[in-house]
Amino acid sequence: MATTYRTCPVSGLQFEDQAEKLMRWNAVAGVLWLLVGGITALLVILTRWPAIKLLPADQFYLILTAHGIDMLILWILFFEMAVLYFASSTLLRCRLATPKIAWLGFWLMVIGGITTNIAIFQGESSVMFTSYVPMQAAPHFYLGIILVAVGALLGVAVFFGTLVVAKKDRTYQGSLPLVTFGALTAAIIATFTILAGAGILIPTFLWSVGLIKEIDAQLYRMVWWGLGHSSQQINVAAHVSVWYLTAAVIFGAKPLSEKVSRFAFLLYILFLQLASAHHLLSDPGMSAEWKVLNTSYFMYFAVMASMIHGFTVPGAIEAAQRRKGYTNGLFEWLRKAPWGNPVFSGMFISLVSFGFLGGISGVVLGTEQINMLMHNTFYVPGHFHTTVVTGTTLAFMSITYLLVPVLFRREMILPKLCQIQPYLFGISMSVLGLVMMGAGTLGVSRRHWDMAFSGAPFQYEWPGAAYLMMGLTGIFGVIAVIGGGLWILLVVGSLLFGRKLDGGKVADRPTPIPANTQAASAVAHGSDHVGVPGTVVLALLLLVSFVLYYFVNWKYLSEVWLLS
Amino acid sequence: MSAILPPSDRLWWKQPIDKVEWAWIGIAFVWGMIMFVMMIYWHIYGKQNLSNEAYKTSPEMFAAKAEKFIAENTVRTETEQQIPVVKVPAGGDGYLIARLWAWYPILELEKGQTYKIHLSSMDYNHGFSLQPVNINIQVIPGYEHVVKMTPTKEGTYAIVCNEYCGIGHHSMLGRIYVK
């Protein structure tokens, strides 16, 4: 198929025509789902805020189901498709393999997303994101998710195919760039995640139309989390790739060590599937041995991988800054970083919030015995709002400030507001996660309409501090929604009204990535080693927080009723 | 030269790893091992471990056992719905039914005694969330989970349902007395 290649005059990135269109459509579809997810977020927040309690119970559970599906599946998956096409076709400067299949995947995802949303808003499918059986949704609820999964699988296949095309057409030499390698791990994880999803959602769909009589409730939970948790690990691999991408684009940063960073990505593939089990730690159907082995991701190798990335990403930035001469003290490199550039500020808040809040809380929550203190409490959504939202969503938002001029050829409107947005959203969402975890530590339930238990035969009064935490959840939740809404306005506004930018030269064939000369590579790893003392201090700070918080929770556990 | 280009050194896997990076990898590995050992340590020396004892059951079978237990051990009834308050024999077995939308019956325990509490659901997933102690256990239909519990303080405790179970989920509140 004839296609063209455009070289962006700003970034030097080369976009193949088909891939570029697919990236745009996927990104725009993602933003639209984020809009729906954001509106539902506001309604959820205003209902859980005890002083407001906006929606009646049935509408609350309906809206909460929509919020989970539209954010966790649709917004993120559509954006990730754009990331995959970018990491393959754009970074490797080759044509996209089978663009028709990619479009088929896109439309399947669109139709599936709409189908599931119709099922939810018809009111018969308020079963939450997890849709635990035997609670049953309308058949088209499951069917829609299956279509989205098939569409995503096609997109992943196109990504793999594009890697083959690049290799065959020799558009690059040597190994894949690190960012593409990270995207490859995300795509591999996506493949077995989607297969696990098919393994449970297809039988559940057949059960909903009456073809299968019964699905074991425990078995459902086990297989479903093969989808539910692993899909979050796709996000981790994708947003870590975006962190490396940002560091490379803003600072020209190169990985401290290709070997270490790639090895860490590889650990994600090998060990995180086990981590799905930490959703089942308080379940009756598994033995303690099984839980301990799986909880520890078989000796915490996937945690180790994240700790490695948490070190090497800021380390790469520090090394690049020090090479530019910001060598005073421990932190001049960080102080003199471009904090006014939303691409960087968003990425760095994402890194810090994901590491300190999402990462630590996730490991503590996923400890076999400590899980009993937090299972199904408000701590759980608190945790994942600091992984999936400040981690993944914020990383995707910040890279969009780069993509709008480069991919959509529009200048961002209102640059002052663009500067503020990552701080507004990132900080309020981080505080939101913290106060949600606070409420959960006090026992407040997730997915619960009424802290006053109206209609119950008894009374239970939550501690005052729990109400305080829920009030703060309301306040920071609303600020976070404003921050997210601002991003949507800025992006959509720029796409519609931003100044048009020059698209750059268009050619019939790709310009391959120039090969490194022997001399250049000798310089590259000869004498350019610089230390990263600032990153070491940050990493040790993370470790100390991690250790303290971990053992504080064992202390809490030792104070509850004895259980055996 | 950067993360968006192929590695500048084609033999990147032969490049030495910096000492600082090795140190951090070592720290992360050791910390992971400590966390791994901690869970095993707690199984041996800790006093809060979730029971391994569980059986496949059916709502009918479990309800029959629970009804027998309630009939034999009820000491009084409470509230307008006449919910039985059942005194679990010290060191003995108690049954707690989770169903839409109630925890049934009310259990009465003694401080310092160990009880085997049998948990199961009659319909959907439910969440046993003991407050204000904050112990949370998943309750799944078709599975009978036998959890050994030793209350450490007297008082009136609430069982909140913290697994979403439909429109009446928020009204699913149970009670345990500890004397």
Side-chain angles (χ1 to χ4, degrees), chain A residues 68-100:
Chain A
I69 298 275
D70 292 343
M71 288 300 206
L72 275 170
I73 298 187
L74 296 169
W75 141 245
I76 287 186
L77 261 185
F78 275 103
F79 201 94
E80 274 165 356
M81 287 302 136
V83 170
L84 285 185
Y85 298 144
F86 180 88
S88 54
S89 165
T90 305
L91 290 185
L92 299 179
R93 301 194 185 182
C94 68
R95 71 180 167 82
L96 197 73
T98 60
K100 278 185 184 154

PDB file of all heavy atoms in Angstrom, chain A residues 68-100:
ATOM      1  N   GLY A  68     -15.581   2.978  36.462  1.00  0.00           N
ATOM      2  CA  GLY A  68     -14.532   1.961  36.405  1.00  0.00           C
ATOM      3  C   GLY A  68     -14.244   1.502  34.986  1.00  0.00           C
ATOM      4  O   GLY A  68     -13.099   1.463  34.542  1.00  0.00           O
ATOM      5  N   ILE A  69     -15.297   1.172  34.243  1.00  0.00           N
ATOM      6  CA  ILE A  69     -15.120   0.651  32.878  1.00  0.00           C
ATOM      7  C   ILE A  69     -14.532   1.726  31.958  1.00  0.00           C
ATOM      8  O   ILE A  69     -13.586   1.481  31.215  1.00  0.00           O
ATOM      9  CB  ILE A  69     -16.490   0.184  32.314  1.00  0.00           C
ATOM     10  CG1 ILE A  69     -17.057  -0.963  33.159  1.00  0.00           C
ATOM     11  CG2 ILE A  69     -16.373  -0.170  30.829  1.00  0.00           C
ATOM     12  CD1 ILE A  69     -16.584  -2.329  32.808  1.00  0.00           C
ATOM     13  N   ASP A  70     -15.084   2.937  32.027  1.00  0.00           N
ATOM     14  CA  ASP A  70     -14.675   3.974  31.075  1.00  0.00           C
ATOM     15  C   ASP A  70     -13.249   4.463  31.337  1.00  0.00           C
ATOM     16  O   ASP A  70     -12.531   4.798  30.400  1.00  0.00           O
ATOM     17  CB  ASP A  70     -15.666   5.147  31.114  1.00  0.00           C
ATOM     18  CG  ASP A  70     -17.019   4.726  30.557  1.00  0.00           C
ATOM     19  OD1 ASP A  70     -17.069   3.684  29.877  1.00  0.00           O
ATOM     20  OD2 ASP A  70     -18.022   5.422  30.811  1.00  0.00           O
ATOM     21  N   MET A  71     -12.854   4.504  32.609  1.00  0.00           N
ATOM     22  CA  MET A  71     -11.499   4.952  32.922  1.00  0.00           C
ATOM     23  C   MET A  71     -10.491   3.821  32.750  1.00  0.00           C
ATOM     24  O   MET A  71      -9.541   3.924  31.981  1.00  0.00           O
ATOM     25  CB  MET A  71     -11.429   5.461  34.367  1.00  0.00           C
ATOM     26  CG  MET A  71     -12.110   6.779  34.585  1.00  0.00           C
ATOM     27  SD  MET A  71     -11.390   8.076  33.566  1.00  0.00           S
ATOM     28  CE  MET A  71     -11.790   9.514  34.538  1.00  0.00           C
ATOM     29  N   LEU A  72     -10.717   2.730  33.502  1.00  0.00           N
ATOM     30  CA  LEU A  72      -9.696   1.688  33.577  1.00  0.00           C
ATOM     31  C   LEU A  72      -9.530   0.942  32.260  1.00  0.00           C
ATOM     32  O   LEU A  72      -8.439   0.512  31.922  1.00  0.00           O
ATOM     33  CB  LEU A  72     -10.044   0.692  34.683  1.00  0.00           C
ATOM     34  CG  LEU A  72      -9.584   1.104  36.075  1.00  0.00           C
ATOM     35  CD1 LEU A  72     -10.185   0.188  37.120  1.00  0.00           C
ATOM     36  CD2 LEU A  72      -8.074   1.071  36.176  1.00  0.00           C
ATOM     37  N   ILE A  73     -10.628   0.745  31.533  1.00  0.00           N
ATOM     38  CA  ILE A  73     -10.497   0.013  30.275  1.00  0.00           C
ATOM     39  C   ILE A  73     -10.381   0.975  29.097  1.00  0.00           C
ATOM     40  O   ILE A  73      -9.407   0.954  28.357  1.00  0.00           O
ATOM     41  CB  ILE A  73     -11.695  -0.941  30.041  1.00  0.00           C
ATOM     42  CG1 ILE A  73     -11.754  -1.982  31.154  1.00  0.00           C
ATOM     43  CG2 ILE A  73     -11.567  -1.618  28.682  1.00  0.00           C
ATOM     44  CD1 ILE A  73     -12.788  -3.048  30.919  1.00  0.00           C
ATOM     45  N   LEU A  74     -11.406   1.832  28.937  1.00  0.00           N
ATOM     46  CA  LEU A  74     -11.524   2.512  27.649  1.00  0.00           C
ATOM     47  C   LEU A  74     -10.534   3.661  27.474  1.00  0.00           C
ATOM     48  O   LEU A  74      -9.801   3.710  26.490  1.00  0.00           O
ATOM     49  CB  LEU A  74     -12.971   2.957  27.442  1.00  0.00           C
ATOM     50  CG  LEU A  74     -13.916   1.747  27.342  1.00  0.00           C
ATOM     51  CD1 LEU A  74     -15.367   2.175  27.397  1.00  0.00           C
ATOM     52  CD2 LEU A  74     -13.646   0.966  26.063  1.00  0.00           C
ATOM     53  N   TRP A  75     -10.493   4.589  28.427  1.00  0.00           N
ATOM     54  CA  TRP A  75      -9.548   5.718  28.289  1.00  0.00           C
ATOM     55  C   TRP A  75      -8.130   5.184  28.132  1.00  0.00           C
ATOM     56  O   TRP A  75      -7.418   5.539  27.190  1.00  0.00           O
ATOM     57  CB  TRP A  75      -9.679   6.656  29.486  1.00  0.00           C
ATOM     58  CG  TRP A  75      -8.401   7.248  30.030  1.00  0.00           C
ATOM     59  CD1 TRP A  75      -7.872   7.015  31.262  1.00  0.00           C
ATOM     60  CD2 TRP A  75      -7.499   8.181  29.394  1.00  0.00           C
ATOM     61  NE1 TRP A  75      -6.705   7.716  31.430  1.00  0.00           N
ATOM     62  CE2 TRP A  75      -6.451   8.448  30.302  1.00  0.00           C
ATOM     63  CE3 TRP A  75      -7.456   8.803  28.140  1.00  0.00           C
ATOM     64  CZ2 TRP A  75      -5.387   9.296  30.005  1.00  0.00           C
ATOM     65  CZ3 TRP A  75      -6.390   9.660  27.853  1.00  0.00           C
ATOM     66  CH2 TRP A  75      -5.377   9.904  28.774  1.00  0.00           C
ATOM     67  N   ILE A  76      -7.740   4.297  29.022  1.00  0.00           N
ATOM     68  CA  ILE A  76      -6.343   3.874  29.044  1.00  0.00           C
ATOM     69  C   ILE A  76      -6.007   3.016  27.834  1.00  0.00           C
ATOM     70  O   ILE A  76      -4.969   3.190  27.196  1.00  0.00           O
ATOM     71  CB  ILE A  76      -6.043   3.159  30.383  1.00  0.00           C
ATOM     72  CG1 ILE A  76      -5.995   4.220  31.485  1.00  0.00           C
ATOM     73  CG2 ILE A  76      -4.739   2.393  30.313  1.00  0.00           C
ATOM     74  CD1 ILE A  76      -5.585   3.707  32.823  1.00  0.00           C
ATOM     75  N   LEU A  77      -6.909   2.089  27.467  1.00  0.00           N
ATOM     76  CA  LEU A  77      -6.600   1.206  26.337  1.00  0.00           C
ATOM     77  C   LEU A  77      -6.480   1.965  25.024  1.00  0.00           C
ATOM     78  O   LEU A  77      -5.569   1.716  24.237  1.00  0.00           O
ATOM     79  CB  LEU A  77      -7.672   0.126  26.190  1.00  0.00           C
ATOM     80  CG  LEU A  77      -7.329  -1.238  26.778  1.00  0.00           C
ATOM     81  CD1 LEU A  77      -8.423  -2.231  26.437  1.00  0.00           C
ATOM     82  CD2 LEU A  77      -5.986  -1.744  26.276  1.00  0.00           C
ATOM     83  N   PHE A  78      -7.404   2.910  24.788  1.00  0.00           N
ATOM     84  CA  PHE A  78      -7.301   3.674  23.539  1.00  0.00           C
ATOM     85  C   PHE A  78      -5.985   4.446  23.494  1.00  0.00           C
ATOM     86  O   PHE A  78      -5.307   4.472  22.477  1.00  0.00           O
ATOM     87  CB  PHE A  78      -8.492   4.633  23.396  1.00  0.00           C
ATOM     88  CG  PHE A  78      -9.696   3.982  22.781  1.00  0.00           C
ATOM     89  CD1 PHE A  78     -10.775   3.601  23.553  1.00  0.00           C
ATOM     90  CD2 PHE A  78      -9.738   3.733  21.414  1.00  0.00           C
ATOM     91  CE1 PHE A  78     -11.881   2.992  22.982  1.00  0.00           C
ATOM     92  CE2 PHE A  78     -10.841   3.126  20.835  1.00  0.00           C
ATOM     93  CZ  PHE A  78     -11.913   2.751  21.625  1.00  0.00           C
ATOM     94  N   PHE A  79      -5.633   5.070  24.618  1.00  0.00           N
ATOM     95  CA  PHE A  79      -4.387   5.835  24.613  1.00  0.00           C
ATOM     96  C   PHE A  79      -3.195   4.904  24.411  1.00  0.00           C
ATOM     97  O   PHE A  79      -2.234   5.235  23.721  1.00  0.00           O
ATOM     98  CB  PHE A  79      -4.240   6.644  25.911  1.00  0.00           C
ATOM     99  CG  PHE A  79      -3.286   7.795  25.763  1.00  0.00           C
ATOM    100  CD1 PHE A  79      -3.744   9.058  25.441  1.00  0.00           C
ATOM    101  CD2 PHE A  79      -1.919   7.618  25.916  1.00  0.00           C
ATOM    102  CE1 PHE A  79      -2.871  10.118  25.273  1.00  0.00           C
ATOM    103  CE2 PHE A  79      -1.030   8.674  25.751  1.00  0.00           C
ATOM    104  CZ  PHE A  79      -1.504   9.928  25.431  1.00  0.00           C
ATOM    105  N   GLU A  80      -3.284   3.713  25.034  1.00  0.00           N
ATOM    106  CA  GLU A  80      -2.170   2.772  24.895  1.00  0.00           C
ATOM    107  C   GLU A  80      -1.992   2.284  23.456  1.00  0.00           C
ATOM    108  O   GLU A  80      -0.875   2.019  23.015  1.00  0.00           O
ATOM    109  CB  GLU A  80      -2.347   1.592  25.856  1.00  0.00           C
ATOM    110  CG  GLU A  80      -1.760   1.936  27.208  1.00  0.00           C
ATOM    111  CD  GLU A  80      -2.178   1.000  28.332  1.00  0.00           C
ATOM    112  OE1 GLU A  80      -2.995   0.095  28.094  1.00  0.00           O
ATOM    113  OE2 GLU A  80      -1.687   1.188  29.445  1.00  0.00           O
ATOM    114  N   MET A  81      -3.095   2.179  22.727  1.00  0.00           N
ATOM    115  CA  MET A  81      -2.974   1.818  21.309  1.00  0.00           C
ATOM    116  C   MET A  81      -2.142   2.875  20.580  1.00  0.00           C
ATOM    117  O   MET A  81      -1.265   2.559  19.774  1.00  0.00           O
ATOM    118  CB  MET A  81      -4.362   1.706  20.666  1.00  0.00           C
ATOM    119  CG  MET A  81      -5.135   0.480  21.088  1.00  0.00           C
ATOM    120  SD  MET A  81      -4.223  -1.016  20.689  1.00  0.00           S
ATOM    121  CE  MET A  81      -4.440  -1.933  22.184  1.00  0.00           C
ATOM    122  N   ALA A  82      -2.421   4.152  20.891  1.00  0.00           N
ATOM    123  CA  ALA A  82      -1.635   5.230  20.275  1.00  0.00           C
ATOM    124  C   ALA A  82      -0.165   5.102  20.666  1.00  0.00           C
ATOM    125  O   ALA A  82       0.732   5.267  19.830  1.00  0.00           O
ATOM    126  CB  ALA A  82      -2.199   6.591  20.692  1.00  0.00           C
ATOM    127  N   VAL A  83       0.078   4.772  21.936  1.00  0.00           N
ATOM    128  CA  VAL A  83       1.468   4.624  22.406  1.00  0.00           C
ATOM    129  C   VAL A  83       2.161   3.485  21.652  1.00  0.00           C
ATOM    130  O   VAL A  83       3.311   3.611  21.224  1.00  0.00           O
ATOM    131  CB  VAL A  83       1.511   4.372  23.930  1.00  0.00           C
ATOM    132  CG1 VAL A  83       2.912   3.977  24.381  1.00  0.00           C
ATOM    133  CG2 VAL A  83       1.044   5.604  24.696  1.00  0.00           C
ATOM    134  N   LEU A  84       1.440   2.374  21.454  1.00  0.00           N
ATOM    135  CA  LEU A  84       2.042   1.231  20.753  1.00  0.00           C
ATOM    136  C   LEU A  84       2.410   1.588  19.317  1.00  0.00           C
ATOM    137  O   LEU A  84       3.488   1.244  18.837  1.00  0.00           O
ATOM    138  CB  LEU A  84       1.083   0.034  20.744  1.00  0.00           C
ATOM    139  CG  LEU A  84       0.919  -0.745  22.053  1.00  0.00           C
ATOM    140  CD1 LEU A  84       0.023  -1.958  21.830  1.00  0.00           C
ATOM    141  CD2 LEU A  84       2.265  -1.201  22.603  1.00  0.00           C
ATOM    142  N   TYR A  85       1.494   2.289  18.624  1.00  0.00           N
ATOM    143  CA  TYR A  85       1.792   2.650  17.238  1.00  0.00           C
ATOM    144  C   TYR A  85       2.954   3.648  17.183  1.00  0.00           C
ATOM    145  O   TYR A  85       3.788   3.605  16.287  1.00  0.00           O
ATOM    146  CB  TYR A  85       0.543   3.215  16.542  1.00  0.00           C
ATOM    147  CG  TYR A  85      -0.602   2.217  16.466  1.00  0.00           C
ATOM    148  CD1 TYR A  85      -1.932   2.612  16.591  1.00  0.00           C
ATOM    149  CD2 TYR A  85      -0.337   0.858  16.282  1.00  0.00           C
ATOM    150  CE1 TYR A  85      -2.966   1.691  16.538  1.00  0.00           C
ATOM    151  CE2 TYR A  85      -1.368  -0.069  16.227  1.00  0.00           C
ATOM    152  CZ  TYR A  85      -2.682   0.351  16.360  1.00  0.00           C
ATOM    153  OH  TYR A  85      -3.699  -0.555  16.311  1.00  0.00           O
ATOM    154  N   PHE A  86       2.997   4.541  18.174  1.00  0.00           N
ATOM    155  CA  PHE A  86       4.090   5.516  18.241  1.00  0.00           C
ATOM    156  C   PHE A  86       5.419   4.803  18.473  1.00  0.00           C
ATOM    157  O   PHE A  86       6.411   5.053  17.777  1.00  0.00           O
ATOM    158  CB  PHE A  86       3.811   6.514  19.366  1.00  0.00           C
ATOM    159  CG  PHE A  86       4.873   7.569  19.521  1.00  0.00           C
ATOM    160  CD1 PHE A  86       4.798   8.753  18.794  1.00  0.00           C
ATOM    161  CD2 PHE A  86       5.936   7.388  20.399  1.00  0.00           C
ATOM    162  CE1 PHE A  86       5.776   9.732  18.932  1.00  0.00           C
ATOM    163  CE2 PHE A  86       6.913   8.369  20.536  1.00  0.00           C
ATOM    164  CZ  PHE A  86       6.831   9.542  19.803  1.00  0.00           C
ATOM    165  N   ALA A  87       5.426   3.890  19.447  1.00  0.00           N
ATOM    166  CA  ALA A  87       6.681   3.225  19.820  1.00  0.00           C
ATOM    167  C   ALA A  87       7.190   2.317  18.706  1.00  0.00           C
ATOM    168  O   ALA A  87       8.379   2.046  18.623  1.00  0.00           O
ATOM    169  CB  ALA A  87       6.492   2.433  21.104  1.00  0.00           C
ATOM    170  N   SER A  88       6.266   1.834  17.857  1.00  0.00           N
ATOM    171  CA  SER A  88       6.731   0.967  16.768  1.00  0.00           C
ATOM    172  C   SER A  88       6.986   1.775  15.500  1.00  0.00           C
ATOM    173  O   SER A  88       8.127   2.036  15.147  1.00  0.00           O
ATOM    174  CB  SER A  88       5.720  -0.161  16.523  1.00  0.00           C
ATOM    175  OG  SER A  88       4.421   0.359  16.301  1.00  0.00           O
ATOM    176  N   SER A  89       5.902   2.251  14.872  1.00  0.00           N
ATOM    177  CA  SER A  89       6.054   2.891  13.566  1.00  0.00           C
ATOM    178  C   SER A  89       6.877   4.179  13.628  1.00  0.00           C
ATOM    179  O   SER A  89       7.747   4.410  12.804  1.00  0.00           O
ATOM    180  CB  SER A  89       4.668   3.177  12.982  1.00  0.00           C
ATOM    181  OG  SER A  89       4.764   4.071  11.918  1.00  0.00           O
ATOM    182  N   THR A  90       6.608   5.029  14.625  1.00  0.00           N
ATOM    183  CA  THR A  90       7.274   6.336  14.654  1.00  0.00           C
ATOM    184  C   THR A  90       8.732   6.212  15.089  1.00  0.00           C
ATOM    185  O   THR A  90       9.624   6.721  14.429  1.00  0.00           O
ATOM    186  CB  THR A  90       6.511   7.292  15.582  1.00  0.00           C
ATOM    187  OG1 THR A  90       5.162   7.336  15.158  1.00  0.00           O
ATOM    188  CG2 THR A  90       7.117   8.690  15.541  1.00  0.00           C
ATOM    189  N   LEU A  91       8.954   5.516  16.215  1.00  0.00           N
ATOM    190  CA  LEU A  91      10.326   5.448  16.713  1.00  0.00           C
ATOM    191  C   LEU A  91      11.223   4.600  15.808  1.00  0.00           C
ATOM    192  O   LEU A  91      12.420   4.848  15.715  1.00  0.00           O
ATOM    193  CB  LEU A  91      10.353   4.910  18.150  1.00  0.00           C
ATOM    194  CG  LEU A  91       9.783   5.853  19.211  1.00  0.00           C
ATOM    195  CD1 LEU A  91       9.973   5.266  20.601  1.00  0.00           C
ATOM    196  CD2 LEU A  91      10.433   7.235  19.146  1.00  0.00           C
ATOM    197  N   LEU A  92      10.641   3.616  15.148  1.00  0.00           N
ATOM    198  CA  LEU A  92      11.464   2.778  14.255  1.00  0.00           C
ATOM    199  C   LEU A  92      11.439   3.285  12.816  1.00  0.00           C
ATOM    200  O   LEU A  92      12.068   2.702  11.935  1.00  0.00           O
ATOM    201  CB  LEU A  92      11.001   1.322  14.315  1.00  0.00           C
ATOM    202  CG  LEU A  92      11.096   0.653  15.692  1.00  0.00           C
ATOM    203  CD1 LEU A  92      10.601  -0.782  15.639  1.00  0.00           C
ATOM    204  CD2 LEU A  92      12.524   0.688  16.207  1.00  0.00           C
ATOM    205  N   ARG A  93      10.684   4.347  12.560  1.00  0.00           N
ATOM    206  CA  ARG A  93      10.604   4.991  11.238  1.00  0.00           C
ATOM    207  C   ARG A  93      10.218   4.009  10.143  1.00  0.00           C
ATOM    208  O   ARG A  93      10.874   3.943   9.090  1.00  0.00           O
ATOM    209  CB  ARG A  93      11.934   5.635  10.882  1.00  0.00           C
ATOM    210  CG  ARG A  93      12.363   6.680  11.885  1.00  0.00           C
ATOM    211  CD  ARG A  93      13.483   7.499  11.307  1.00  0.00           C
ATOM    212  NE  ARG A  93      13.986   8.432  12.295  1.00  0.00           N
ATOM    213  CZ  ARG A  93      14.939   9.300  12.032  1.00  0.00           C
ATOM    214  NH1 ARG A  93      15.490   9.352  10.850  1.00  0.00           N
ATOM    215  NH2 ARG A  93      15.345  10.129  12.966  1.00  0.00           N
ATOM    216  N   CYS A  94       9.209   3.221  10.375  1.00  0.00           N
ATOM    217  CA  CYS A  94       8.789   2.281   9.336  1.00  0.00           C
ATOM    218  C   CYS A  94       7.286   2.392   9.130  1.00  0.00           C
ATOM    219  O   CYS A  94       6.592   3.064   9.880  1.00  0.00           O
ATOM    220  CB  CYS A  94       9.164   0.860   9.738  1.00  0.00           C
ATOM    221  SG  CYS A  94       8.224   0.257  11.124  1.00  0.00           S
ATOM    222  N   ARG A  95       6.809   1.710   8.084  1.00  0.00           N
ATOM    223  CA  ARG A  95       5.362   1.722   7.855  1.00  0.00           C
ATOM    224  C   ARG A  95       4.688   0.829   8.885  1.00  0.00           C
ATOM    225  O   ARG A  95       5.307  -0.082   9.443  1.00  0.00           O
ATOM    226  CB  ARG A  95       5.053   1.249   6.437  1.00  0.00           C
ATOM    227  CG  ARG A  95       5.283  -0.215   6.220  1.00  0.00           C
ATOM    228  CD  ARG A  95       4.964  -0.646   4.793  1.00  0.00           C
ATOM    229  NE  ARG A  95       5.483  -1.981   4.554  1.00  0.00           N
ATOM    230  CZ  ARG A  95       4.848  -3.100   4.921  1.00  0.00           C
ATOM    231  NH1 ARG A  95       3.691  -3.039   5.536  1.00  0.00           N
ATOM    232  NH2 ARG A  95       5.397  -4.283   4.682  1.00  0.00           N
ATOM    233  N   LEU A  96       3.404   1.087   9.119  1.00  0.00           N
ATOM    234  CA  LEU A  96       2.637   0.273  10.043  1.00  0.00           C
ATOM    235  C   LEU A  96       2.209  -1.002   9.317  1.00  0.00           C
ATOM    236  O   LEU A  96       1.753  -0.941   8.177  1.00  0.00           O
ATOM    237  CB  LEU A  96       1.407   1.044  10.499  1.00  0.00           C
ATOM    238  CG  LEU A  96       0.702   0.527  11.739  1.00  0.00           C
ATOM    239  CD1 LEU A  96       1.523   0.840  12.980  1.00  0.00           C
ATOM    240  CD2 LEU A  96      -0.672   1.147  11.866  1.00  0.00           C
ATOM    241  N   ALA A  97       2.359  -2.148   9.968  1.00  0.00           N
ATOM    242  CA  ALA A  97       1.908  -3.400   9.365  1.00  0.00           C
ATOM    243  C   ALA A  97       0.380  -3.401   9.316  1.00  0.00           C
ATOM    244  O   ALA A  97      -0.273  -2.971  10.268  1.00  0.00           O
ATOM    245  CB  ALA A  97       2.405  -4.587  10.177  1.00  0.00           C
ATOM    246  N   THR A  98      -0.187  -3.862   8.234  1.00  0.00           N
ATOM    247  CA  THR A  98      -1.633  -4.053   8.059  1.00  0.00           C
ATOM    248  C   THR A  98      -2.507  -2.988   8.732  1.00  0.00           C
ATOM    249  O   THR A  98      -3.220  -3.276   9.680  1.00  0.00           O
ATOM    250  CB  THR A  98      -2.076  -5.432   8.601  1.00  0.00           C
ATOM    251  OG1 THR A  98      -1.764  -5.509   9.985  1.00  0.00           O
ATOM    252  CG2 THR A  98      -1.407  -6.555   7.847  1.00  0.00           C
ATOM    253  N   PRO A  99      -2.434  -1.745   8.224  1.00  0.00           N
ATOM    254  CA  PRO A  99      -3.264  -0.692   8.832  1.00  0.00           C
ATOM    255  C   PRO A  99      -4.756  -1.024   8.823  1.00  0.00           C
ATOM    256  O   PRO A  99      -5.483  -0.586   9.727  1.00  0.00           O
ATOM    257  CB  PRO A  99      -2.962   0.551   7.997  1.00  0.00           C
ATOM    258  CG  PRO A  99      -2.164   0.097   6.829  1.00  0.00           C
ATOM    259  CD  PRO A  99      -1.573  -1.223   7.159  1.00  0.00           C
ATOM    260  N   LYS A 100      -5.213  -1.830   7.847  1.00  0.00           N
ATOM    261  CA  LYS A 100      -6.649  -2.161   7.815  1.00  0.00           C
ATOM    262  C   LYS A 100      -7.059  -2.948   9.063  1.00  0.00           C
ATOM    263  O   LYS A 100      -8.129  -2.740   9.620  1.00  0.00           O
ATOM    264  CB  LYS A 100      -6.976  -2.967   6.554  1.00  0.00           C
ATOM    265  CG  LYS A 100      -7.167  -2.057   5.369  1.00  0.00           C
ATOM    266  CD  LYS A 100      -7.607  -2.825   4.155  1.00  0.00           C
ATOM    267  CE  LYS A 100      -7.689  -1.863   2.969  1.00  0.00           C
ATOM    268  NZ  LYS A 100      -7.499  -2.553   1.701  1.00  0.00           N
TER     269      LYS A 100
END
